[in-house]
Amino acid sequence: WASRFIDTAEKHQLSIRYDWFKTDDENILPNRTPVDEVGDAWTLAYSYRPTEDHRLSFEILTVKSRRSARVNTGVSGKQRYTTFQTRYRFTF
């Protein structure tokens, strides 16, 4: 699911996105740790374009997942992390 909002002057853009994911390990090798994973993610992005040559963007991403193979490495099978990115773009 994704949604995008743009102002009439097209200087501001706001995007919201939701993703759901799942992988199933169908490996038939014996003694192998399964790598099944299930989770979801939210992304919120804002972009400001004061002129055609300049763009400033901000993005926040939160991912929550459960992966069975993590347990064998000594960490929790369930994890949640959030990242924040800023970008400035100049074109000519």
Side-chain angles (χ1 to χ4, degrees):
W1 174 83
S3 188
R4 194 168 113 184
F5 309 96
I6 302 174
D7 73 345
T8 55
E10 295 188 13
K11 289 187 175 199
H12 302 274
Q13 179 176 319
L14 180 65
S15 300
I16 302 169
R17 178 176 168 153
Y18 174 77
D19 292 292
W20 179 83
F21 56 90
K22 180 179 180 184
T23 59
D24 293 316
D25 185 6
E26 296 181 10
N27 194 330
I28 58 172
L29 296 175
N31 301 324
R32 185 165 182 282
T33 302
V35 289
D36 299 343
E37 185 171 16
V38 63
D40 62 359
W42 283 95
T43 305
L44 175 64
Y46 169 74
S47 182
Y48 175 61
R49 193 173 197 167
T51 68
E52 190 140 334
D53 298 336
H54 300 271
R55 180 181 295 188
L56 181 61
S57 302
F58 302 94
E59 179 180 283
I60 188 165
L61 167 68
T62 298
V63 179
K64 182 175 58 173
S65 66
R66 187 182 75 241
R67 184 178 178 109
S68 54
R70 284 190 194 120
V71 176
N72 292 339
T73 63
V75 297
S76 173
K78 293 181 181 180
Q79 288 189 354
R80 181 181 187 146
Y81 66 87
T82 301
T83 59
F84 180 76
Q85 298 181 47
T86 302
R87 180 178 68 218
Y88 172 72
R89 185 175 184 180
F90 172 71
T91 58
F92 55 93

